[in-house]
Amino acid sequence: MTLSTAKDTTAPAQEGGRRPLGLRADVRNLSLLGVLAVLIAVGGFTRPDEFLAVSNLQLVLTQASVIGVVTVGMTFVITSGGIDLSVGAIVALASVWATTLATQEYGFAGILFTAVAVGVGCGLVNGLLIAYGGMVPFIATLAMFASARGLALQITDGRTQIVSVDSVLDLGIPDAYILGIPPLVLVFAAVTVAGWLVLNRTTFGRRTVAVGGNAEAARLAGIDVRRQRLYLYLLSGLCCGIAAFLLIILSGSGQNTNGNLYELDAIAAAIIGGTLLTGGRGTIVGSVLGVLVFTTITNIFALNNLQSDVQQIAKGAIIVAAVLVQHRTARHGDT
């Protein structure tokens, strides 16, 4: 009985899953594609020469890559019933630690290794506090948010750290594009594919969904819930480290203000993509589409010289609408 309960909590989260659920997931994704198509039409109508330019579309995808990698990790955490408010601060800390003069002396490998190591290290602290320390994810990651931001500020002393390693900077120039695709976008695509495979085709993914659906049933079914949660925050930290390295390539610097509001953008993208905030269901495809929707909105607002406060209002309205839809489908047994 316990085992069947765990299986029941696992099934709803699969993007394929049973036919009715898979059909509803397809409808959600198609709806997001429809929203994205409308936004592209609006951008093409208001600023046809600028928005539809290849360089601008490359920019949109490049900007989406950084927050997109963070969102993949966030999707796993939320699917398990957790939350990570520290992702933006971890990106900032990883980016400044990886761009200190001492680190840059080790070149490309030193910067990449430091960014990833700092991200994983912060994820390890979060995971230990939550899984084995018994802390509520909201509190533990909020503490990491404050600590990482403070440490990033202390390292930089409020200054921008310029990257002087050519092999890193070269990845951000058009000459490094592969068939017109920026390397950052290729990394984002690889992380997305890997995330989809892990969530939907591995035991790790099924355990993540089971923990989010019913942690006690998962424990009784033989899943080490604490260890699973530790791994999930390690994964989130890894994604933050990768995103920090991409941001270093994109900006050519490390700043303590990097990753500002990334936690909110990542959570919002995952939610409008169909991942349940209460856990038990996650979709990598939906999360990526959510990232593209928000990034496109930002780009359209910038091209039309609209104020950022209006942009935030628009994003807020989309989030509210997505949550209301989730509540409605939950009442009809979609969860």
Side-chain angles (χ1 to χ4, degrees):
M1 180 176 179
T2 300
L3 184 60
S4 63
T5 303
K7 288 182 179 179
D8 289 340
T9 58
T10 303
Q14 304 304 314
E15 290 183 30
R18 295 169 295 182
R19 177 177 289 272
L21 182 62
L23 195 57
R24 285 190 287 268
D26 290 339
V27 170
R28 284 194 298 269
N29 292 338
L30 287 174
S31 298
L32 285 173
L33 283 174
V35 172
L36 192 58
V38 170
L39 289 173
I40 292 174
V42 170
F45 178 77
T46 57
R47 284 287 189 273
D49 295 335
E50 300 173 33
F51 180 79
L52 297 178
V54 174
S55 59
N56 184 64
L57 296 179
Q58 289 173 333
L59 176 62
V60 171
L61 291 175
T62 301
Q63 293 175 335
S65 298
V66 180
I67 184 61
V69 171
V70 175
T71 302
V72 170
M74 182 69 78
T75 300
F76 276 88
V77 171
I78 296 178
T79 300
S80 71
I83 199 73
D84 191 346
L85 300 179
S86 64
V87 290
I90 294 175
V91 169
L93 179 59
S95 70
V96 301
W97 207 324
T99 55
T100 61
L101 293 177
T103 303
Q104 291 191 51
E105 290 181 358
Y106 294 93
F108 183 98
I111 294 176
L112 174 59
F113 174 80
T114 303
V116 172
V118 171
V120 172
C122 291
L124 176 62
V125 174
N126 280 337
L128 290 175
L129 290 176
I130 294 166
Y132 295 96
M135 291 187 68
V136 177
F138 182 91
I139 300 300
T141 58
L142 185 61
M144 176 59 72
F145 167 86
S147 301
R149 281 289 178 195
L151 185 54
L153 178 60
Q154 186 178 54
I155 291 174
T156 61
D157 197 24
R159 300 187 183 93
T160 298
Q161 298 178 164
I162 305 300
V163 177
S164 59
V165 180
D166 291 336
S167 57
V168 173
L169 298 176
D170 289 345
L171 292 176
I173 62 176
D175 289 343
Y177 293 3
I178 302 174
L179 299 177
I181 303 175
L184 277 70
V185 178
L186 295 176
V187 173
F188 175 36
V191 171
T192 298
V193 172
W196 187 90
L197 290 173
V198 170
L199 184 60
N200 296 281
R201 294 291 184 268
T202 67
T203 302
F204 182 87
R206 291 190 290 273
R207 288 174 177 173
T208 298
V209 176
V211 170
N214 190 324
E216 181 60 18
R219 185 187 67 80
L220 294 175
I223 297 175
D224 190 331
V225 174
R226 293 190 299 178
R227 184 172 61 187
Q228 185 69 18
R229 284 175 174 160
L230 172 62
Y231 288 162
L232 287 166
Y233 282 96
L234 282 172
L235 177 61
S236 180
L238 173 63
C239 288
C240 289
I242 296 173
F245 183 70
L246 297 183
L247 191 56
I248 290 170
I249 296 173
L250 183 62
S251 64
S253 64
Q255 305 176 56
N256 66 285
T257 56
N258 281 344
N260 186 36
L261 297 181
Y262 272 20
E263 54 280 342
L264 299 184
D265 288 343
I267 293 171
I271 297 306
I272 71 168
T275 299
L276 283 181
L277 190 57
T278 53
R281 186 181 72 203
T283 163
I284 298 296
V285 173
S287 295
V288 170
L289 290 175
V291 169
L292 292 176
V293 166
F294 280 136
T295 307
T296 304
I297 290 175
T298 300
N299 184 259
I300 292 174
F301 272 66
L303 290 178
N304 286 276
N305 296 318
L306 296 176
Q307 296 181 351
S308 59
D309 54 349
V310 180
Q311 173 185 324
Q312 297 303 324
I313 293 172
K315 285 185 177 181
I318 293 174
I319 296 170
V320 170
V323 172
L324 289 176
V325 169
Q326 282 196 358
H327 283 316
R328 183 175 181 181
T329 56
R331 287 197 298 268
H332 286 80
D334 191 28
T335 59

